[in-house]
Amino acid sequence: MLKLAILGFLRDHPLHGYDLKTRIAALTGHVKPIADGTLYPAIKRLETAGLLTRRSAPGKIAAPRHMLELTQDGIDYLRKLLREPDELSITDENRWFTLLAFLRHLENPREQAIVLRRRLAFLSDPVSYFYDAQGRPMAADEFDDPFRQGLLTISQAANRAEFRWLHTTIGELERH
């Protein structure tokens, strides 16, 4: 998720490390804030792999800033991550949102639709946070507990909205 976020934001435009950290935190920070000890080594690994470069640019007030930008290899690798996301990037909501934030960088509408179809297939399987003794998913109206009812009601409403959006967007992409 971090690698995709770094590459995706840098595909938008070159950024200073601090600006990159701020953007990643806005996208994923509600899950777990990004620590400098995680971000900067990840940037260094991507730089060592030839996926991004650093260049000095004048600072706004003081010292020069190191701007990060993608190389062509970085752009190609980003497209590969978007075209071939792992299963967790499809099924885990936070990873899915990160993937979705940058899917526009996969410029082929048919390839975008394939990724969206994978998410649609995942959402089409009945799931719940709670199961009865036989392993059947339980619905909100099966609980007396208003908190579990709330959890399931909110989750089901979000899934219905995403399901509608996916159908509409896939249809639009496949018309291109």
Side-chain angles (χ1 to χ4, degrees):
M1 185 166 75
L2 178 59
K3 187 186 309 183
L4 178 60
I6 292 169
L7 296 173
F9 280 120
L10 293 178
R11 180 66 176 119
D12 291 340
H13 49 81
L15 293 167
H16 180 269
Y18 179 80
D19 295 332
L20 179 60
K21 179 180 176 181
T22 301
R23 284 178 170 81
I24 292 171
L27 179 62
T28 65
H30 63 283
V31 177
K32 182 179 176 188
I34 182 87
D36 290 348
T38 302
L39 177 62
Y40 292 104
I43 290 170
K44 185 64 179 165
R45 285 190 299 275
L46 294 172
E47 183 180 19
T48 300
L51 303 179
L52 62 87
T53 60
R54 295 176 199 250
R55 65 174 168 78
S56 291
K60 291 181 181 176
I61 298 173
R65 297 164 37 123
H66 294 282
M67 299 300 290
L68 304 167
E69 53 189 322
L70 289 186
T71 63
Q72 186 58 51
D73 285 347
I75 292 168
D76 294 342
Y77 187 68
L78 171 62
R79 287 183 183 140
K80 181 183 184 315
L81 291 176
L82 295 169
R83 187 180 301 111
E84 303 167 8
D86 63 13
E87 193 63 24
L88 198 55
S89 293
I90 298 296
T91 60
D92 178 82
E93 185 173 88
N94 297 307
R95 290 175 182 263
W96 170 247
F97 285 161
T98 301
L99 177 66
L100 197 56
F102 303 110
L103 197 56
R104 73 184 178 283
H105 294 309
L106 186 58
E107 295 161 357
N108 183 321
R110 294 201 187 284
E111 291 178 339
Q112 292 169 333
I114 289 169
V115 173
L116 296 184
R117 283 198 172 283
R118 286 184 59 198
R119 177 66 176 187
L120 184 62
F122 164 70
L123 291 178
S124 296
D125 288 335
V127 295
S128 177
Y129 296 103
F130 309 103
Y131 295 84
D132 67 13
Q134 290 73 38
R136 181 186 57 82
M138 296 180 70
D141 61 3
E142 295 180 71
F143 290 97
D144 293 331
D145 177 348
F147 306 106
R148 285 193 175 186
Q149 285 177 346
L151 172 66
L152 291 171
T153 299
I154 292 165
S155 176
Q156 290 164 355
N159 282 352
R160 282 192 300 273
E162 185 176 358
F163 201 84
R164 283 190 303 273
W165 177 82
L166 285 166
H167 275 287
T168 300
T169 305
I170 290 168
E172 292 169 1
L173 291 170
E174 290 179 343
R175 281 192 286 278
H176 283 96

